[in-house]
Amino acid sequence: MRIRVDMTRCQTHAQCVFAAPTVFTLDDNDELSYDAAPDDALRQAIEQAARACPERAIFLDGA
Ligand code: SF4
């Protein structure tokens, strides 16, 4: 599957990191980085992350 984070919206709340830590991480500068093509098996966790994001910055582009 493909995902995208709108970095103009992302405020580094890190809710996505808690929901799907193998996909979303914060680097040493507290910048979000993420796997744009994660395994489909992670879909549930990623949907949870998208729901948890206070800025609605996470978009799922389908499989
Ligand atoms: S939860 Fe949303 S705003 Fe926070 S770091 Fe993740 S994508 Fe960015």
Side-chain angles (χ1 to χ4, degrees), residues 29-51:
N29 298 318
D30 273 354
E31 294 270 332
L32 181 72
S33 60
Y34 64 99
D35 179 359
D39 194 284
D40 270 347
L42 294 165
R43 176 176 292 273
Q44 202 172 359
I46 292 164
E47 287 175 349
Q48 172 71 30
R51 280 195 298 272

